[in-house]
Amino acid sequence: MTPKTLQDFTSQEYKYGFKTDIESVTLPKGLNEETVRSISRLKNEPEFMLEFRLRAYRHWLTLREPTWAHVEYPKIDYQDIIYYSAPKPKAADKKSMDEVDPELKKTFEKLGIPLMEQKRLAGVAVDAIFDSVSVATSYKQKLLEVGVVFCSFSEAVEKYPELVKKYIGSVVPYTDNYFAALNSAVFSDGSFVYIPKGVKSPMELSSYFRINTEGSGQFERTLIICEDGGYVSYLEGCTAPKFDTNQLHAAVVELVALDEAEIKYSTVQNWYAGDPKTGKGGIYNFVTKRGKCLGKRSKISWTQVETGSAITWKYPSCVLIGEGSTGEFYSVALTNHHQQADTGTKMIHIGRDTKSRIISKGISAGASRNSYRGAVEIKAGADNARNFTQCDSLLVGDRCSANTFPVIDALNPTAQLEHEASTSRISDDQLFYFRSRGIRTEEAMTTIVNGFCKEVFNELPGEFAVEATQLLGLKLEGSVG
Amino acid sequence: MSGKVLLEIQGLTAGIGEREILKGFDLSVRAGEVHAIMGPNGSGKSTLSKVLAGDPHYKVTSGTVRFEGKDLLTMEPEARALEGVFLAFQYPVEIPGVNNASFLRLAYNAKRRHDGKSEADPLEFDELVRERMGVVSMPETFLTRSVNHGFSGGEKKRNEIVQMAVLEPKLAILDETDSGLDIDALRIVAEGINKLRRPDNAMILITHYNRLLEYVRPDHVHILANGRIVRSGGAQLALELEKKGYDLLTAEAKG
């Protein structure tokens, strides 16, 4: 059937909803001090890591789950979550690509993630995270030759403990918020990147996160350190099988940029969003992402395309300390059916001559709820700080909602701030106009939405921009009626 | 001199919701012809154009519409367009974020695929569009601007003609393309329409006034009142209408 109007259009099946049968090592459900110790023990961690985890855990016990976001969900039972699940050692032990469990390889192939180094997507190094652990990192050797370290977080703890010790929690301390504390206590793996002084990473680095086990949470941690004059572009992608139960994904990402270093961090998030009709199941994506521009004229740029998850609750932010440093946030957040998103950014200007730029595009369809929440803070010492914010919302149909909650707090009179916002709706008249020129509704929708998101897609690395474009098209199928 | 029958409308009754606007409308259009349909507000002119293009807001209750012998009413709007029916909208809608070049390329390639041809390569297409823009002297900046977004009334109407020039429909319905145009813009648009007139295509000009018809000479003029054609004639009928006004003419028709 050809969809006719805005309502017929948005109900495409989630195609990553399959589960892989694989033997795994899984801790029993529930969280207590012993869980934290077990995770640390399973990972053979040094003492400082266990200490870090325990401090975080004890602090977490004193906190309450925050409720200020514009989202609704039943109370999470933290004793009903599996905190550690990893493919059996034969699968997880990956000295080379050839030793990766064939089942896992197949899974990632099905997802379109190439682990085989010689295969297509040449020029992109991939770290694949399956449930709690990293299963494979490609191009590792080639990167090491130029001094770039790209490995799983566990491996970093083992091989580069001094770097981990110096920077873990330096951007997002475990005291930062409820989910950051929880992550710091139980995180199981993640990616680690180190770019030494003066090195530009010769290829895109990419992490791919996959939740497989039902009832498990994914608590990964990413740490990227870019030394003076270094450059790295990093991309993460995410999918999960369909389960009727909700799964918690509480990640922490920390970025550190030293003098004149530049980090570009892109996310294409397509976690399972729950049943399109009932809203049952799906991922709770409660993530803390922050970058610190420590060095002079350093730059951190976040680009995110958020299309999945039952609930997305995240604010990739920049702390601009170094003189003349720059923070950027480019975001497309699409919600459909019963999805909820409360996302945005925080730009904290501390150093003088710091600049930030925020471009947020929210698309709501179905009965979804989409909110932009942002804060721009200009501290007293941030002379000549500048911010430009643009927040656009696009509504598809008349059952969805869009909200913006911008906050500006300027304590320095030399600051220059600009804020622009708009709300528009894809109308049946627009669709009819396309159709009367021989263009199908689906193609019309995709064209309008891509036009709306263009400024953000332009920031994505080439092939991922193409992927994001297609993904949005798929996600909106069935939303026009 | 007339060609084969392109469009055959018989007893068309249609409207919005419960309200009937067209009440037994008949019209036959042959290739090579230009028909003008004139009538007062509310007589059903715009309803006719929307129904022919397949606007889902309008409901057809009876009658038939054949386009080259095929049942037009059962086709989706995009299928009608691909078959060669084109509506130049009275109020073209704005589409922010989608530029004219991409929009035209999408439409043009949809047509190419439908005709079993390969899609035009970007350079070839660019050349074609630039040439067709010349029909209504559209400036180069037009290509990178969003479709109708922030366009003046005149620019929107000219854009409709550019689209028509690119898509080369067999039947074009121009819904009050002359309304809201100043005299210079009217001349540009009218000249554009004349350039696109060919023996193998046809046009229906829907208009209130004779002024467009001073530039684009119709073969047939029909007067629409209360959902039906009440009088048909040659180009001179438009002049007569201008002198006497709708009331007198429709009264005469009834009498």
Side-chain angles (χ1 to χ4, degrees):
Chain A
M1 191 194 100
T2 333
K4 288 199 180 61
T5 38
L6 282 163
Q7 200 149 24
D8 302 338
F9 194 76
T10 38
S11 336
Q12 165 83 9
E13 277 281 298
Y14 184 69
K15 64 176 180 176
Y16 305 109
F18 62 90
K19 180 180 188 295
T20 307
D21 282 317
I22 192 154
E23 274 193 277
S24 56
V25 179
T26 301
L27 283 182
K29 278 183 180 174
L31 179 56
N32 53 41
E33 202 163 302
E34 190 41 43
T35 322
V36 177
R37 287 180 188 278
S38 302
I39 293 172
S40 191
R41 200 178 315 121
L42 276 163
K43 307 191 76 65
N44 281 322
E45 286 179 347
E47 194 57 27
F48 83 88
M49 282 302 302
L50 177 63
E51 282 306 310
F52 176 79
R53 288 176 183 280
L54 288 174
R55 278 199 305 273
Y57 174 69
R58 287 168 195 149
H59 181 71
W60 181 73
L61 289 177
T62 69
L63 299 175
R64 273 184 198 207
E65 195 173 330
T67 53
W68 48 262
H70 191 56
V71 296
E72 273 167 34
Y73 58 96
K75 218 172 155 36
I76 297 171
D77 180 357
Y78 290 92
Q79 297 307 331
D80 196 36
I81 292 173
I82 297 168
Y83 286 88
Y84 185 86
S85 174
K88 269 270 169 65
K90 71 158 182 170
D93 180 24
K94 22 87 192 169
K95 295 231 168 45
S96 86
M97 275 310 137
D98 304 332
E99 289 168 39
V100 174
D101 188 306
E103 274 302 313
L104 278 178
K105 260 195 223 163
K106 252 191 264 165
T107 301
F108 282 99
E109 261 161 38
K110 213 162 153 188
L111 295 168
I113 313 303
L115 297 180
M116 307 309 289
E117 311 203 352
Q118 67 275 28
K119 288 247 175 87
R120 58 199 173 91
L121 258 184
V124 180
V126 180
D127 187 18
I129 318 270
F130 193 81
D131 281 343
S132 298
V133 295
S134 166
V135 292
T137 310
S138 62
Y139 286 112
K140 210 188 268 185
Q141 254 349 89
K142 204 173 160 198
L143 288 165
L144 267 179
E145 281 164 25
V146 292
V148 172
V149 177
F150 178 39
C151 64
S152 70
F153 206 97
S154 313
E155 193 178 328
V157 169
E158 188 188 320
K159 292 192 180 154
Y160 313 97
E162 64 297 337
L163 280 174
V164 173
K165 199 170 174 178
K166 182 169 174 191
Y167 288 107
I168 190 171
S170 73
V171 186
V172 181
Y174 63 78
T175 49
D176 190 78
N177 69 69
Y178 189 83
F179 298 105
L182 178 64
N183 173 288
S184 302
V186 303
F187 78 92
S188 32
D189 213 338
S191 295
F192 176 85
V193 175
Y194 173 76
I195 310 289
K197 203 167 168 172
V199 172
K200 316 264 182 226
S201 174
M203 60 181 82
E204 308 270 350
L205 306 186
S206 167
S207 270
Y208 196 84
F209 297 102
R210 171 83 177 161
I211 295 178
N212 192 57
T213 307
E214 183 159 19
S216 71
Q218 188 163 33
F219 306 93
E220 85 273 1
R221 221 177 154 99
T222 301
L223 176 59
I224 299 179
I225 302 151
C226 199
E227 298 250 23
D228 297 357
Y231 169 81
V232 64
S233 167
Y234 181 90
L235 185 123
E236 59 173 10
C238 335
T239 60
K242 287 171 163 179
F243 293 122
D244 285 346
T245 50
N246 294 106
Q247 285 169 291
L248 177 63
H249 173 251
V252 168
V253 176
E254 298 181 283
L255 312 182
V256 180
L258 301 181
D259 285 356
E260 289 173 354
E262 181 176 349
I263 303 175
K264 196 169 160 55
Y265 193 104
S266 317
T267 303
V268 176
Q269 186 262 109
N270 185 21
W271 296 115
Y272 179 52
D275 186 273
K277 289 201 181 68
T278 61
K280 217 174 167 201
I283 304 288
Y284 292 160
N285 188 32
F286 300 165
V287 170
T288 309
K289 288 183 167 172
R290 195 172 306 153
K292 216 183 218 180
C293 283
L294 267 181
K296 285 180 194 157
R297 290 176 299 280
S298 56
K299 180 174 172 185
I300 289 179
S301 179
W302 298 100
T303 304
Q304 62 172 19
V305 178
E306 301 285 326
T307 66
S309 297
I311 303 177
T312 294
W313 186 2
K314 63 178 259 200
Y315 314 92
S317 302
C318 297
V319 184
L320 305 168
I321 298 168
E323 207 178 292
S325 59
T326 304
E328 293 177 336
F329 175 73
Y330 298 95
S331 170
V332 167
L334 180 147
T335 53
N336 194 359
H337 307 299
H338 299 277
Q339 283 178 274
Q340 307 175 56
D342 192 310
T343 182
T345 185
K346 240 201 258 187
M347 293 291 174
I348 302 165
H349 293 254
I350 296 170
R352 51 184 304 147
D353 303 318
T354 47
K355 291 186 287 291
S356 63
R357 182 178 171 84
I358 300 171
I359 308 284
S360 162
K361 306 278 180 176
I363 304 157
S364 354
S368 69
R369 193 195 278 196
N370 201 325
S371 305
Y372 167 81
R373 188 184 303 274
V376 178
E377 289 174 22
I378 314 287
K379 300 297 186 196
D383 290 345
N384 304 316
R386 285 169 151 227
N387 164 265
F388 174 78
T389 299
Q390 185 185 330
C391 263
D392 299 321
S393 305
L394 183 67
L395 303 169
V396 183
D398 53 12
R399 291 178 303 141
C400 52
S401 70
N403 308 277
T404 53
F405 305 102
V407 173
I408 292 173
D409 186 10
L411 301 177
N412 185 308
T414 61
Q416 282 183 47
L417 302 144
E418 287 173 76
H419 185 99
E420 288 177 9
S422 76
T423 304
S424 52
R425 187 186 291 279
I426 296 186
S427 66
D428 282 341
D429 286 346
Q430 285 176 326
L431 294 178
F432 179 63
Y433 193 74
F434 275 92
R435 298 179 77 197
S436 75
R437 299 299 180 249
I439 303 162
R440 289 178 309 115
T441 310
E442 290 86 344
E443 209 172 348
M445 279 289 288
T446 311
T447 307
I448 295 174
V449 169
N450 284 333
F452 178 73
C453 303
K454 205 158 35 191
E455 289 157 283
V456 175
F457 286 172
N458 285 346
E459 295 298 319
L460 285 173
E463 36 210 321
F464 298 113
V466 176
E467 194 186 314
T469 308
Q470 290 166 347
L471 186 59
L472 283 199
L474 280 179
K475 284 278 163 179
L476 278 173
E477 237 165 71
S479 69
V480 186
Chain B
M1 64 158 264
S2 281
K4 58 173 183 159
V5 173
L6 273 181
L7 181 74
E8 185 78 58
I9 305 177
Q10 284 178 337
L12 184 64
T13 302
I16 290 190
E18 297 303 304
R19 200 159 66 92
E20 272 186 1
I21 301 167
L22 289 177
K23 300 163 185 167
F25 180 93
D26 300 314
L27 181 69
S28 180
V29 177
R30 288 171 182 275
E33 293 179 341
V34 172
H35 289 244
I37 295 181
M38 306 177 75
N41 284 329
S43 57
K45 300 191 303 292
S46 279
T47 300
L48 174 68
S49 68
K50 293 290 177 60
V51 167
L52 292 179
D55 187 328
H57 292 105
Y58 290 81
K59 211 167 82 189
V60 175
T61 42
S62 67
T64 57
V65 179
R66 302 213 154 259
F67 180 70
E68 296 191 303
K70 291 177 214 156
D71 181 1
L72 196 70
L73 296 178
T74 56
M75 291 184 208
E76 297 287 348
E78 52 270 41
R80 300 180 194 201
L82 296 173
E83 287 295 322
V85 177
F86 179 92
L87 169 62
F89 285 79
Q90 183 181 0
Y91 303 110
V93 65
E94 300 194 359
I95 308 172
V98 178
N99 70 42
N100 285 294
S102 328
F103 182 80
L104 286 166
R105 198 169 56 237
L106 270 180
Y108 184 71
N109 281 332
K111 178 104 179 82
R112 299 268 304 188
R113 288 196 302 269
H114 177 78
D115 296 345
K117 295 179 194 156
S118 61
E119 295 192 356
D121 81 74
L123 285 178
E124 192 186 313
F125 180 74
D126 187 66
E127 211 168 293
L128 175 114
V129 168
R130 282 168 196 275
E131 182 219 312
R132 302 294 155 89
M133 278 159 56
V135 164
V136 284
S137 323
M138 212 50 143
E140 188 147 327
T141 49
F142 158 78
L143 286 173
T144 51
R145 291 172 68 189
S146 291
V147 178
N148 296 324
H149 186 58
F151 278 32
S152 69
E155 284 175 321
K156 285 182 183 171
K157 297 298 174 79
R158 273 154 74 188
N159 190 6
E160 297 295 285
I161 305 302
V162 172
Q163 292 176 19
M164 179 174 153
V166 168
L167 297 174
E168 303 186 295
K170 291 176 198 151
L171 172 70
I173 304 140
L174 286 78
D175 191 359
E176 300 202 20
T177 299
D178 53 342
S179 69
L181 295 184
D182 63 35
I183 192 72
D184 293 327
L186 177 70
R187 212 188 54 242
I188 292 172
V189 166
E191 281 170 6
I193 295 171
N194 280 329
K195 285 178 202 158
L196 299 175
R197 252 177 115 156
R198 294 203 316 229
D200 61 344
N201 68 17
M203 295 183 197
I204 298 175
L205 309 177
I206 290 174
T207 179
H208 265 293
Y209 308 106
N210 186 46
R211 51 179 214 156
L212 175 66
L213 306 181
E214 286 168 7
Y215 296 95
V216 184
R217 202 179 152 76
D219 302 298
H220 302 274
V221 174
H222 310 278
I223 301 192
L224 186 63
N226 200 20
R228 297 172 55 190
I229 288 177
V230 291
R231 228 181 120 177
S232 297
Q236 81 292 342
L237 181 59
L239 291 171
E240 198 184 327
L241 175 72
E242 189 138 271
K243 279 195 212 108
K244 295 184 177 172
Y246 285 115
D247 290 345
L248 194 58
L249 265 193
T250 50
E252 275 177 26
K254 275 178 199 154

